[in-house]
Amino acid sequence: MPNDSSPSRQFPPLPQFSGMNAPSRIECHIQDLEVVGELPQALQGSWYRCGPDPQYPPMLGDDIYINGDGAVSAFRFADGRVDFTMRYVRTQRFEAERAAHRSLFGLYRNPYTDHASVRGLDRGTANTTAFVHAGRLFALKEDSLPYELDPVTLETKGRHDFDGKLRSRTVTAHPKRDPETDEWLFFGYEAAGDASKDVAFCVADKHGALVREEWFEAPYAAMQHDFAVTRDYVIFSVFPTVCDLDRMKAGGTHWMWDGALDTWIGVMRRDGSAKDMRWFRRPACYSYHVANAFNTGSQITVDLCVSARNVFPYVPARDGSAHDPEANAPYLTRWCFDADNPESSFNSRVLSPIPGELPRIDERVSMQPHRFIYYGGIDPRKSQLVTGPIGLGSNHLVRVDTQTGGVTSLFLSDTTTFQEPQLVPVPGAEGLLLAVVDHHDTGLASVVVLNAADITAGPIAQIKLPIRLRDSFHGDWAPSTPQTI
Ligand code: V55
Ligand code: FE
């Protein structure tokens, strides 16, 4: 139990708070970062990123990586120069803890473990994804509503409930922007509250107005971290990482892995309704991230990272089995199935021999056939460096050509890991690929700027930061506009 009079002022000596994972707690603006080489002229815009960075030592003496307070950062590129800004999101939780000079919230997604003084406050950390829509910047966390930030200063404007219209209590941190219509497609799971099976499928139009919210029930309450959208279909996935209210009330974890349950894939037509959802059942498996999906008629293809079970070591298994990082490693996988025939064969094929996660594409072809996927590879034959949510950082950047099957990769050194890559579109080319590099020897960060078509050639330019950047989750690229730069 927390000590009310003298809370700990020290982060516990655990891997998720040590080394590259040590909380940085830095808010800053750095003009004109040092650049080795020359930044391409095509780099004109803002790269927003979001990740967890705990403000205070955990009230209960321990905590998991994904429960840290959301910090949003922006690299602003213009005319061969780059500036950097980083700020915490002023969530209700952040403000309450700052006012009390200590942490007051308990276990990840378990309000029953909080200090009595914060009952009823928003527990959201806004720590997962920075997302730009209709010129507005949002910080997203799947258990709560988005927070809106000023795209220039990164100051928090407040919680975003779509002008009071959204009924779902949650909004996914994996929004899909339709490149043809500029709509924001999203969903919320546990939409009616903790452990509810309710899922809300929602659409905001190109101006950001909520124009659709349809509720349906998932087969069981599960962590639905991502989803997939094609031109004609929406695909929901329910993998057996399950929530139980009694366990939470007893002070237990929100999540548990239950490999005895099936995976359920729900498919609905975008011009149809959730009432017509078709469910495909598969044996238990897990996926955090979808790279992209597309359809040709009723034939659906989804490229996603699939593992035998949840890759987070801190999601306990119902059968008590230990987490085995190698057996549970995620692989980029292609699923093909016929939306009109739930009984048809469901084809699954691994696209790359290098395990890894955080897949991205050129989002101009989102929801349509894509050719290239870029992701962070964790090659077991190279040094395993501790950082980030899985416990191991990506020792490679990997590019997969899904047309030829070719896999190429970039390895920098035994002391470097990569954070999630970002593809910056360049007209007439494959684009530029950006990634933050964690330098485990110096404890500093850099950013590599790569020609996406030839990542093995190494950086065209490298941006040096005078600080460490704790591993973040997801980012978004916004080309220069008056609103964003
Ligand atoms: C993930 C991250 C989260 C979370 C649940 O990447 C899943 C997976 C950053 O927070 O709350
Ligand atoms: Fe994610």
Side-chain angles (χ1 to χ4, degrees), residues 301-421:
T301 300
V302 185
D303 286 350
L304 74 179
C305 295
V306 179
S307 50
R309 84 180 215 195
N310 198 306
V311 295
F312 285 167
Y314 34 79
V315 172
R318 185 179 292 291
D319 65 7
S321 56
H323 180 80
D324 176 344
E326 218 164 305
N328 301 335
Y331 285 88
L332 187 63
T333 303
R334 173 160 286 192
W335 281 357
C336 298
F337 56 95
D338 183 350
D340 284 346
N341 187 1
E343 305 305 321
S344 69
S345 68
F346 184 106
N347 193 279
S348 176
R349 173 166 71 85
V350 170
L351 294 176
S352 163
I354 306 172
E357 250 287 2
L358 304 171
R360 298 295 299 273
I361 61 155
D362 179 342
E363 289 178 3
R364 289 174 305 175
V365 295
S366 194
M367 310 178 186
Q368 304 153 59
H370 56 277
R371 179 165 174 187
F372 304 105
I373 300 173
Y374 317 91
Y375 70 95
I378 311 175
D379 189 330
R381 296 165 303 183
K382 294 285 190 183
S383 48
Q384 307 291 291
L385 298 166
V386 174
T387 180
I390 300 182
L392 290 179
S394 307
N395 49 24
H396 285 72
L397 271 188
V398 186
R399 167 185 180 266
V400 177
D401 181 339
T402 64
Q403 198 166 304
T404 65
V407 176
T408 51
S409 65
L410 174 67
F411 174 82
L412 288 182
S413 81
D414 284 328
T415 55
T416 50
T417 49
F418 296 98
Q419 301 189 25
E420 183 196 55

Side-chain angles (χ1 to χ4, degrees), residues 28-33 35 39-40 42-49 72-87 132 135 137 149-155 434 447 463 465 476-485:
C28 63
H29 177 71
I30 308 171
Q31 187 177 310
D32 295 317
L33 291 171
V35 180
L39 293 174
L43 266 183
Q44 305 276 345
S46 296
W47 181 26
Y48 295 106
R49 302 160 70 251
V72 169
S73 55
F75 289 95
R76 292 172 200 293
F77 295 91
D79 305 323
R81 303 185 306 268
V82 56
D83 297 346
F84 179 76
T85 309
M86 180 157 67
R87 285 189 82 97
V132 176
L137 173 64
L149 311 180
D150 183 299
V152 175
T153 64
L154 304 186
E155 275 161 18
L434 309 177
V447 176
I463 302 158
L465 283 105
D476 198 7
W477 174 257
S480 302
T481 66
Q483 291 105 317
T484 56
I485 203 145

Side-chain angles (χ1 to χ4, degrees), residues 442-462:
T442 59
L444 299 176
S446 69
V447 176
V448 283
V449 180
L450 305 162
N451 174 3
D454 189 12
I455 63 171
T456 52
I460 302 168
Q462 194 156 359

Side-chain angles (χ1 to χ4, degrees), residues 26 38-39 42 50 73 152 156 163 193 242 270 325 328 399 436 447:
I26 292 173
E38 261 182 61
L39 293 174
C50 183
S73 55
V152 175
T156 303
D163 299 320
V242 297
R270 284 173 68 174
N328 301 335
R399 167 185 180 266
V436 167
V447 176

Side-chain angles (χ1 to χ4, degrees), residues 216-220 224 233-240 261-269 274 276-285 295 297-302 304 335-348:
F216 65 92
E217 270 200 10
Y220 53 84
Q224 290 176 243
Y233 295 93
V234 186
I235 300 128
F236 299 94
S237 41
V238 179
F239 301 107
L261 296 175
D262 276 347
T263 290
W264 295 63
I265 312 295
V267 181
M268 68 175 274
R269 288 195 61 87
D276 307 319
M277 185 86 63
R278 285 190 151 168
W279 290 99
F280 292 63
R281 280 176 85 150
R282 309 276 307 143
C285 67
N295 73 286
S298 65
Q299 298 298 318
I300 292 182
T301 300
V302 185
L304 74 179
W335 281 357
C336 298
F337 56 95
D338 183 350
D340 284 346
N341 187 1
E343 305 305 321
S344 69
S345 68
F346 184 106
N347 193 279
S348 176

